[in-house]
Amino acid sequence: MACAACSGPPASSPSESMATSLPAIDRSAGAGAKASLNEVSGEVLLPMSAYWYSDRENVIVNSAVAFLIYDCVEEAGFTVAPWGGGGKALQDYRFGQWSRPLAARNGAMPEIREVPGVLDEQPERPPLSARQQEEEVKCTNSVGRAGLPELLEGLAGDTSLQHRITGNAVALTERDSDYLAYRKSWEDCVAGKGLKVAEAGSWNLSSSGSKEDEIRVALLDLECKEASGGARKPYDILAEYQAAQMKDHQAELNALAEEKTAAVERAKQILRDHGVADARL
């Protein structure tokens, strides 16, 4: 189970596809909602984060599914050596770099954080015969998600309520007058420092390509964001648009939260049944 959870928000905004179907949302209905930005890990939590798997929950659920696939392969007469290992999660980067410590280390590159696994990673896996590889494919298809929902932001083809709320909030943020003023102030500031936006609408700035220059540019980028109202400002606007929509769907969201909790608990029980200690859960 190498990289049992590689997660992160979509690199590109879903707003283009929603431009013709945006609801009329009064952002003030979500006033006071805030994003939580962890400048060390690069993790961002928004009001809708409660209805997606956390990084850790995603590892637990995917690991449980993997064990059920292994069971299927073993029932076909093969010996399985679980990969073990953890997952990786990408820093939310929809508004560019926002963490000074991470900018000083990574420049414009988003942080990739390690998510602990439920088993230690195995040094290597024995070579598989063609028949066993074929059986693993069959079992993967037959087990599927084993009834455990895939509650991750940005999945292609997702039409769920949480996807609609999240996507609408991004699109509404990008059209918000406070956001547009913030963006204009930032653009003027970076231009005044001799920096160029990589492409229209992007939060990426051009650099020489060296690590040193990438760090220099990223830190200047943050100076301009702070001067324009703070690097967290677009995330707080996004949080308010999420919260404003949630008010009309709280009963559905409560049911979704219960579904998520039940899925994680079921996954944990599957892992316990396969010898994973509670300390790893």
Side-chain angles (χ1 to χ4, degrees):
M1 290 177 288
C3 193
C6 295
S7 62
S12 58
S13 165
S15 60
E16 290 182 11
S17 63
M18 297 187 176
T20 59
S21 58
L22 282 178
I25 300 296
D26 181 359
R27 185 179 126 205
S28 67
K34 298 289 184 184
S36 171
L37 280 64
N38 187 320
E39 294 208 349
V40 176
S41 70
E43 184 176 20
V44 173
L45 295 177
L46 292 155
M48 283 299 295
S49 297
Y51 307 100
W52 304 110
Y53 290 140
S54 68
D55 297 339
R56 181 66 180 150
E57 288 169 340
N58 192 37
V59 165
I60 286 170
V61 171
N62 284 350
S63 297
V65 170
F67 269 112
L68 295 178
I69 293 170
Y70 296 157
D71 288 348
C72 173
V73 175
E74 289 183 339
E75 286 172 8
F78 297 97
T79 301
V80 177
W83 276 105
K88 298 180 187 298
L90 190 66
Q91 176 186 358
D92 189 301
Y93 210 64
R94 70 188 87 205
F95 304 119
Q97 183 60 272
W98 46 265
S99 164
R100 184 166 291 277
L102 296 181
R105 183 168 75 231
N106 302 331
M109 295 298 293
E111 175 78 352
I112 299 174
R113 56 187 178 275
E114 300 288 333
V115 185
V118 301
L119 292 176
D120 292 334
E121 185 171 1
Q122 304 304 308
E124 60 182 50
R125 196 180 188 202
L128 304 181
S129 67
R131 285 190 59 233
Q132 181 165 347
Q133 291 181 47
E134 181 181 341
E135 198 61 41
E136 289 201 359
V137 171
K138 281 185 185 178
C139 286
T140 298
N141 291 334
S142 65
V143 171
R145 292 291 301 176
L148 294 167
E150 199 166 14
L151 301 175
L152 295 176
E153 182 181 351
L155 292 180
D158 186 359
T159 60
S160 65
L161 171 65
Q162 64 267 39
H163 172 78
R164 294 197 306 275
I165 289 176
T166 302
N168 285 340
V170 172
L172 290 162
T173 295
E174 291 174 348
R175 289 158 177 72
D176 184 87
S177 59
D178 288 341
Y179 172 88
L180 292 172
Y182 172 85
R183 167 93 195 185
K184 179 65 165 58
S185 175
W186 171 79
E187 287 178 342
D188 290 346
C189 179
V190 295
K193 293 181 182 294
L195 303 175
K196 293 183 179 179
V197 178
E199 57 184 88
S202 168
W203 287 92
N204 297 324
L205 299 174
S206 299
S207 72
S208 69
S210 71
K211 185 64 178 288
E212 293 78 9
D213 197 50
E214 285 183 0
I215 290 173
R216 178 188 71 85
V217 168
L219 291 173
L220 290 174
D221 169 15
L222 279 174
E223 283 183 15
C224 285
K225 285 173 177 165
E226 291 302 326
S228 301
R232 65 172 299 121
K233 182 167 184 174
Y235 284 102
D236 285 340
I237 294 173
L238 179 61
E240 290 185 341
Y241 275 117
Q242 286 191 1
Q245 295 176 84
M246 291 165 64
K247 291 178 181 294
D248 292 331
H249 299 281
Q250 199 56 61
E252 296 162 273
L253 291 171
N254 289 345
L256 180 61
E258 291 176 4
E259 179 187 12
K260 187 186 87 160
T261 299
V264 173
E265 286 307 310
R266 180 175 164 234
K268 286 181 178 180
Q269 190 55 54
I270 291 170
L271 293 172
R272 291 186 191 102
D273 293 343
H274 286 80
V276 177
D278 278 343
R280 301 297 295 262
L281 303 178

